[in-house]
Amino acid sequence: RYLVSWYKLNADGSSGSAFITSHIYDEVHNEARQRELGLIGRVSIQPDGHSLNIIDVHVHDEGTYRCEVTVQEPFLVKVSSDVQLTVVDYQILGYSKNMVVEKGTPVTLVSVVSGSSLPAQNSWKVNGEEALTNSVSEVTTLG
């Protein structure tokens, strides 16, 4: 017999109380902790009894999650593993499309991206291959 408990670590690295526990295919929800974490109604244990499912992921869901397995028989043993969840919050609003230019002519390709956690890098591909290294990327932040 075993328990599978899921925690979201606090900023100081402490685990607080489990927000969901699986015990022989029954889920026990700690609604107070889920409400505190903003996870109420959005978490469940997968049918395998081990995997956590979070629906409608938000930026505030980012952080370190801990899965703790407690084996009760024949000896009490606890093991845990941490996983870092990073939520990417951006969208491509527009980009250059279907351009025809003569060989040797300089071309400007534009991509408009919006969001709160923009990627540190972007790149263009031509026929699935990275664009030439003499290309220039420029980032403009609109406030």
Side-chain angles (χ1 to χ4, degrees):
R1 303 182 88 148
Y2 61 89
L3 292 168
V4 177
S5 300
W6 283 92
Y7 302 83
K8 182 177 181 192
L9 302 188
N10 297 317
D12 65 2
S14 64
S15 61
S17 57
F19 61 82
I20 191 168
T21 299
S22 172
H23 178 66
I24 310 173
Y25 301 107
D26 286 331
E27 291 182 13
V28 178
H29 292 258
N30 179 339
E31 291 188 8
R33 181 67 171 150
Q34 288 181 15
R35 190 171 291 107
E36 177 186 333
L37 297 171
L39 292 169
I40 196 85
R42 300 190 300 119
V43 292
S44 62
I45 301 289
Q46 292 284 60
D48 64 10
H50 310 109
S51 304
L52 177 68
N53 187 41
I54 303 174
I55 60 170
D56 192 23
V57 176
H58 298 87
V59 172
H60 67 264
D61 294 331
E62 280 193 343
T64 303
Y65 289 79
R66 175 172 292 157
C67 175
E68 181 181 271
V69 178
T70 304
V71 179
Q72 298 171 323
E73 296 173 7
F75 305 103
L76 181 64
V77 178
K78 284 186 180 183
V79 294
S80 65
S81 181
D82 293 352
V83 61
Q84 179 68 35
L85 174 65
T86 302
V87 179
V88 178
D89 180 29
Y90 69 90
Q91 63 185 22
I92 298 175
L93 300 176
Y95 53 91
S96 301
K97 296 180 184 178
N98 301 328
M99 298 177 73
V100 178
V101 297
E102 292 182 29
K103 181 178 177 180
T105 303
V107 65
T108 300
L109 302 176
V110 177
S111 174
V112 180
V113 181
S114 174
S116 62
S117 57
L118 297 175
Q121 297 181 351
N122 61 23
S123 63
W124 287 94
K125 293 188 176 188
V126 177
N127 297 326
E129 301 291 327
E130 290 293 328
L132 299 174
T133 57
N134 64 355
S135 61
V136 176
S137 292
E138 180 181 315
V139 176
T140 303
T141 305
L142 303 175

